[in-house]
Amino acid sequence: MEQQHSIFQGLDLSVILYAAGMAALISVLTTWRSRNAQRARGLPLSPWLTVIPDMLIGTITGVIFALVGPVLYKPLHSLAGITTLAGAGGVLGPKIWDLISARGLDLGLTWLASAVAGPLAALATRAAAKDGDPNGTKPTPPPPAPPTPPGDPHGP
C-alpha cells in the first residue's frame, strides 16, 4: 500500500513558532506605540483587550509571510529574512484588516473591476482596430433614420 505525501511534511515547527512569536511581539509593540501617541494627544485609550484581535491577525499574517516569502524569493530563507517577513506581517496584518473592514465589499469590487477592465480594454482596442480605427477614437455613426411614409407632414 502506498503512503500518501503530507503537505505539512516540509514545514519546520521551529520556524512557525519563531515567526509567530516575532509577529506577535512586533504587533503588540506597534499597538503600544500607537497607544502612547494617543495618550500624548490626550485622546481616550481603548482597553487592552482590543489589542488581542490585532495581535492575532498580525501573528497569522506574520506566519504566512514567513512561510510564503522564502518560497517565492530564496534569499529570504535565512534568520534575517524570516524575522523581517514575520515583523512585516505583524505590522501589516492589522492594517490590511482595517482597510478591508473599512472599505469592505467596495474594495473587492474595485479590485475585480480593475482586474477585468484590463483584458476587456485590450479586447475593445483590437475590435476597434479591425474596424479601421486603430486608436479606438472614431465616434460611432448614428443609426439611420427610419423611412417616413408618403404624405407624412413631419417627413422630409
Side-chain angles (χ1 to χ4, degrees), residues 13-88:
L13 187 60
S14 62
V15 170
I16 292 172
L17 292 174
Y18 175 77
M22 185 58 63
L25 175 67
I26 296 295
S27 184
V28 168
L29 289 175
T30 304
T31 303
W32 193 349
R33 183 172 183 252
S34 66
R35 285 175 58 89
N36 284 339
Q38 284 177 331
R39 184 179 297 117
R41 290 189 308 246
L43 298 173
L45 299 177
S46 55
W48 271 105
L49 287 178
T50 60
V51 172
I52 294 172
D54 282 350
M55 187 188 71
L56 290 175
I57 291 167
T59 302
I60 292 168
T61 308
V63 169
I64 291 171
F65 279 23
L67 292 178
V68 173
V71 172
L72 299 176
Y73 188 63
K74 293 292 182 199
L76 292 174
H77 193 64
S78 65
L79 181 62
I82 298 295
T83 302
T84 303
L85 290 169

Side-chain angles (χ1 to χ4, degrees), residues 49-147:
L49 287 178
T50 60
V51 172
I52 294 172
D54 282 350
M55 187 188 71
L56 290 175
I57 291 167
T59 302
I60 292 168
T61 308
V63 169
I64 291 171
F65 279 23
L67 292 178
V68 173
V71 172
L72 299 176
Y73 188 63
K74 293 292 182 199
L76 292 174
H77 193 64
S78 65
L79 181 62
I82 298 295
T83 302
T84 303
L85 290 169
V91 171
L92 294 177
K95 293 182 186 311
I96 292 169
W97 184 259
D98 289 343
L99 177 68
I100 290 171
S101 63
R103 301 240 352 245
L105 185 60
D106 290 341
L107 181 67
L109 291 176
T110 302
W111 176 82
L112 182 64
S114 65
V116 170
L120 289 179
L123 185 63
T125 304
R126 276 187 261 141
K130 286 182 182 177
D131 291 339
D133 184 18
N135 296 331
T137 56
K138 185 169 67 173
T140 306

